[in-house]
Amino acid sequence: MDPYRPKEENAMTAETEAAVATTTTGSCCSPAGSCHSDGPADVQLGSVTTVYQVSGMTCGHCEGAVSSEISEIDGVGSVTAVAATGRVTVVSAAPLDEEAVRAAVDEAGYELVGLA
């Protein structure tokens, strides 16, 4: 086993718990550890990231409608919808009830296929 070769243990899954602490040890961009500001990188501790597959989105308006409806679910911190792939990434304080997500996507006029 080569100690200099990175392990492939951290593959992304449909639901990944992010428990990474923010550090201020610096980076290649700034002494504060951030590429975009004077502070440390913004990481949501104890959050859950879930990726859903949604059918019917074709444009930026569709992305906004889906994002807006899902954002109204309690505990949701951020939503990123991409019409080109049909994937919707949701960061929340805890795992979400899939039926609540399905109802939000339906309210926006689209169909939740399931986890991506």
Side-chain angles (χ1 to χ4, degrees):
M1 182 168 167
D2 185 353
Y4 298 104
R5 182 172 288 189
K7 293 181 181 178
E8 303 276 338
E9 295 177 6
N10 296 324
M12 290 293 286
T13 61
E15 195 169 71
T16 304
E17 192 164 342
V20 178
T22 301
T23 62
T24 56
T25 59
S27 76
C28 63
C29 301
S30 75
S34 173
C35 294
H36 303 291
S37 70
D38 292 332
D42 182 25
V43 176
Q44 295 180 341
L45 296 177
S47 62
V48 176
T49 300
T50 309
V51 181
Y52 297 97
Q53 189 69 39
V54 174
S55 67
M57 294 189 300
T58 59
C59 64
H61 171 64
C62 302
E63 294 168 347
V66 169
S67 295
S68 177
E69 290 296 331
I70 294 175
S71 293
E72 293 181 17
I73 300 172
D74 285 340
V76 170
S78 69
V79 181
T80 304
V82 180
T85 62
R87 293 190 179 219
V88 179
T89 303
V90 181
V91 178
S92 56
L96 298 176
D97 175 42
E98 190 168 326
E99 288 308 311
V101 177
R102 186 175 307 283
V105 171
D106 185 61
E107 182 66 26
Y110 304 93
E111 180 184 355
L112 178 66
V113 177
L115 293 175

